[in-house]
């Protein structure tokens, strides 16, 4: 049975409505082991017939039957038909310029089921078969015309096709190379394959076993020179579609081949990505630095609780807090045992400390020296654990801590006051609201470092809750707490616990208002985040330029590689393979940009932190996180994919015949 049958093949081209017939009813059969020459002058329809047989031209009438199966039945998978059945040899060689001899042959082998090792071994074997083993590592530009055609022959044979189609294979060769190429084609036919050569040379035609003459789209002669060569059956290799891995490898080869322009584009894109990463890291570092600065002075686990003075449950915490603070000092704003009991039952509350804050015109006296003025007596709580002492330590029961500025007025050698006695006189109120004077002698436990900011005329002293309560009881003053300090078990639970406390009710009315440093930290975090995001967004505008740069580069790559696209399609590559090829190259470009940007970002982080280290007491003002790196990589990938959409789509839609004919 014939390996190939052509039945009434007709083909016309149209210019507007005007029809130009090219093939006018071709009926032919081809045997295995035949070396057939389609002989005729240019314009006779030879190349058109070859394109139809090879599955490159699908717009024709009639039937092409291969191994008893009509080609039209395979129209949905013509790429597989070309991979399985057809091997192309072109007059202009159509080698991929940036690939070596071996890699050009491997293009076809990548569309087989062979392993990487088996592909390489077969490619080496083919270079020996066509006499190019010593030139296997050379690029096409380093080869002669005859050597290039041998590479094309080896590539056509690589996937072990049944039919070899050669379009003017000797048209660009001298007489010696012509003889060598024809000898190779004869060997191919002798191996049991069907070789069909398109030529206008009688000398070339005489090398075959059969000559078919075409003129004006019709067969005008069919001459048998000798019988087909005998065919020996053998196990043919299986073909398969181009894999993602092989597509990526091919893209990477071209990327490295054009590394100079790709490096410039990658650096351009990396600048934008670097700016985004750096500003996000700056915002992250600045936020952490400010938060650490604040939490080093205060305890972030504590929440200050006041009795809510408004009965309007709809009023927000901030407004209610302002109203409550305006009324502090009245007995009605103090917390009783019921309030404290409620607070202790809230989830995640580790400790509840009733607290006093008593203010009024009073005196501090040490021996014969006194200081008069506005004095505030505060209770030591967990919110004071980060207090900084210039001498001594926190107070125990019966002791008091005073600030350095007050100690200096009582004694020039102010640090020597530690362990000495000091008398405090301060007004307080009874439960009925009457004024009483609290007078108590304490031992100074420590001298506190003055708070930052301008020094005021008022004084503050700190004592334990039991110490203050004892002094109030001795003066018959009200001993209900002014407010409470609640310690939450974890910083992460502060917000939820604060919200739970704000929702607590007594007699149907919300009972508490709260204040915590976390709310202040949230404000700082939000501000720094907004600033860093805005800066990152401004820097990110440059990424739009990068998208256009990649688009232009990919379009240029499509234009430069049009012939390569045609070759891959002719060898059985699918449209999606072509699209993936250029998408993969854009993706490599995007990832390269991300890698450069990440390197720049870490270098910038190191340099900036090094320069500012002495000003920030060793703190890092730029802190790039893993999340920032992942974000940059995702952005780089999205940019690459977005930029590749149009160029890769255009490449996939290229007409294979036109792509092969491009210069």
């Amino acid at each position: 049975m014939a390996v190939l049958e052509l039945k009434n093949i007709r083909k016309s081209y149209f210019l507007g409505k005007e029809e130009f017939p090219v093939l006018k009813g071709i009926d032919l059969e081809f045997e295995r082991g035949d070396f057939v020459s389609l002989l005729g002058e240019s314009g006779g329809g030879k190349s058109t017939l070859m394109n139809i047989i090879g599955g490159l031209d699908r717009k024709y009438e009639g039937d092409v039957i291969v191994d008893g199966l009509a080609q039209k039945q395979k129209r949905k998978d013509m790429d597989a038909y070309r991979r399985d059945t057809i091997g192309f040899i072109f007059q202009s060689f159509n080698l991929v310029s940036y690939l070596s001899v071996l890699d050009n042959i491997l293009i076809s082998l990548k569309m087989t089921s062979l392993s990487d090792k088996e592909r390489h071994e077969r490619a080496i074997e083919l270079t020996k078969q066509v006499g190019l083993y010593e030139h296997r590592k050379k690029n096409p530009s380093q080869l002669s015309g005859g050597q290039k055609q041998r590479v094309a022959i080896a590539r056509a044979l690589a996937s072990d096709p049944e039919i070899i189609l050669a379009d003017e294979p000797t048209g660009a060769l001298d007489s010696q190379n012509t003889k060598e190429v024809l000898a190779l084609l004869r060997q191919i036919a002798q191996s049991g394959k069907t070789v069909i050569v398109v030529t206008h040379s009688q000398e070339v035609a005489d090398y075959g076993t059969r000559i078919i003459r075409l003129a004006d789209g019709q067969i005008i002669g069919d001459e048998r020179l000798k019988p087909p060569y005998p065919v020996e059956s053998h196990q043919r290799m299986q073909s398969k579609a181009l894999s993602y891995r092989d597509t990526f490898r091919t893209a990477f080869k071209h990327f490295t081949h054009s590394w100079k322009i790709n490096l410039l584009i990658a650096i351009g894109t990396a600048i934008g990505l670097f700016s985004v990463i750096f500003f996000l890291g700056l915002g992250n570092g600045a936020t952490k630095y400010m938060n650490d600065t604040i939490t080093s002075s205060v305890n972030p686990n504590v929440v200050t609780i006041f009795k809510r003075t408004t009965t309007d449950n709809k009023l927000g915490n901030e407004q209610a807090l302002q109203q409550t603070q305006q009324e502090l000092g009245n007995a009605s704003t103090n917390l009783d045992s019921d309030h404290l009991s409620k607070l202790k039952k809230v989830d995640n509350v580790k400790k509840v400390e009733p607290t006093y804050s008593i203010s009024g015109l009073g005196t501090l006296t040490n021996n014969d020296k006194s200081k008069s003025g506005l004095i505030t007596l505060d209770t030591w709580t967990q919110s004071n654990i980060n207090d900084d002492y210039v001498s001594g330590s926190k107070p125990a029961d019966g002791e008091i801590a005073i600030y350095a500025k007050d100690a200096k007025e009582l004694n020039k050698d102010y640090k020597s006051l530690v362990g000495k006695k000091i008398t405090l006189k301060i007004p307080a109120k009874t439960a009925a609201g009457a004024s009483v004077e609290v007078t108590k002698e304490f031992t100074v436990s420590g001298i506190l470092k003055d708070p930052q900011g301008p020094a005021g005329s008022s004084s503050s002293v700190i004592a334990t809750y039991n110490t203050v309560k004892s002094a109030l009881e001795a003066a018959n003053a009200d001993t209900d707490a002014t407010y409470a300090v609640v310690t939450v078990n974890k910083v992460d639970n502060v917000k939820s616990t604060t919200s739970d406390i704000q929702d607590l009710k007594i007699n149907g009315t919300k009972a508490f208002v709260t204040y915590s440093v976390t709310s202040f930290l949230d404000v700082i975090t939000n501000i720094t985040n907004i600033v860093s995001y805005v800066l990152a967004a401004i820097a990110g505008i440059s990424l739009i330029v990068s998208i256009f740069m990649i688009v232009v580069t990919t379009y240029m790559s499509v234009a430069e590689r049009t012939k390569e696209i045609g070759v891959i399609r002719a060898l059985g590559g699918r449209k999606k393979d072509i699209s993936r090829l250029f998408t993969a190259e854009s993706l490599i470009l995007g990832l390269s940009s991300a890698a450069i940007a990440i390197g720049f970002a870490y270098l910038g982080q190191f340099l900036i932190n090094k320069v500012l280290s002495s000003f920030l007491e060793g703190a890092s003002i730029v802190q790039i996180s893993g999340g920032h790196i992942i974000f940059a990589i995702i952005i780089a990938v999205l940019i690459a994919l977005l930029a590749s959409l149009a160029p890769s789509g255009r490449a996939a839609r290229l007409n294979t015949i036109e792509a092969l004919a491009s210069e």
Side-chain angles (χ1 to χ4, degrees), residues 389-402:
Y389 288 82
V390 296
S391 182
S393 60
K394 70 177 185 179
D397 288 344
E399 296 180 336
I400 196 170
I402 64 175

Side-chain angles (χ1 to χ4, degrees), residues 84-102:
D84 291 334
T85 309
I86 305 297
F88 284 98
I89 302 171
F90 306 100
Q91 176 182 359
S92 55
F93 321 127
N94 289 344
L95 302 180
V96 180
S97 61
Y98 64 89
L99 297 179
S100 67
V101 168
L102 208 60

Side-chain angles (χ1 to χ4, degrees), residues 363-375:
T363 59
L364 288 171
T365 304
N366 172 244
N367 294 329
D368 57 345
K369 286 195 175 182
S370 296
K371 172 179 170 51
S372 300
L374 182 63
I375 298 176

Side-chain angles (χ1 to χ4, degrees), residues 19-81:
E19 181 178 2
F20 296 90
V22 179
L23 299 175
K24 303 171 182 177
I26 303 297
D27 291 288
L28 287 171
E29 291 187 0
F30 300 89
E31 301 294 330
R32 284 186 173 84
D34 234 347
F35 185 165
V36 182
S37 299
L38 296 178
L39 181 63
E41 298 301 320
S42 298
K46 305 185 303 299
S47 295
T48 300
L49 184 60
M50 186 188 75
N51 289 334
I52 290 173
I53 294 171
L56 299 178
D57 190 340
R58 300 166 62 179
K59 296 179 180 179
Y60 63 89
E61 296 178 14
D63 283 316
V64 176
I65 300 174
V66 180
D67 289 331
L69 184 64
Q71 189 193 75
K72 286 184 176 179
Q73 292 180 246
K74 296 187 176 184
R75 278 181 179 267
K76 290 185 178 179
D77 198 6
M78 291 302 292
D79 301 323
Y81 165 73

Side-chain angles (χ1 to χ4, degrees), residues 266-320:
I267 290 174
T269 306
I271 291 172
L273 288 171
F274 156 75
S275 301
V276 172
I277 298 171
F278 185 80
F279 284 127
L280 290 175
L282 179 61
N284 188 43
T287 299
K288 192 172 187 307
Y289 173 73
M290 287 187 282
N291 286 352
D292 288 346
T293 300
I294 293 172
T295 55
S296 66
S297 302
V298 295
N299 185 352
N301 287 65
V302 302
V303 183
T304 304
I305 313 298
F306 298 94
K307 181 179 178 182
R308 187 181 177 109
T309 58
T310 177
T311 58
D312 185 357
N313 287 340
K314 293 182 180 180
L315 200 63
N317 182 74
E318 297 304 318
Q319 293 172 300

Side-chain angles (χ1 to χ4, degrees), residues 33 37 56 166 176 277 289 402-403 411 462 464 518 553 584 598-599 613:
S37 299
L56 299 178
Q176 180 59 37
I277 298 171
Y289 173 73
I402 64 175
Y403 282 93
N411 192 325
I462 298 173
T464 64
T518 54
T553 304
I598 291 167
S613 176

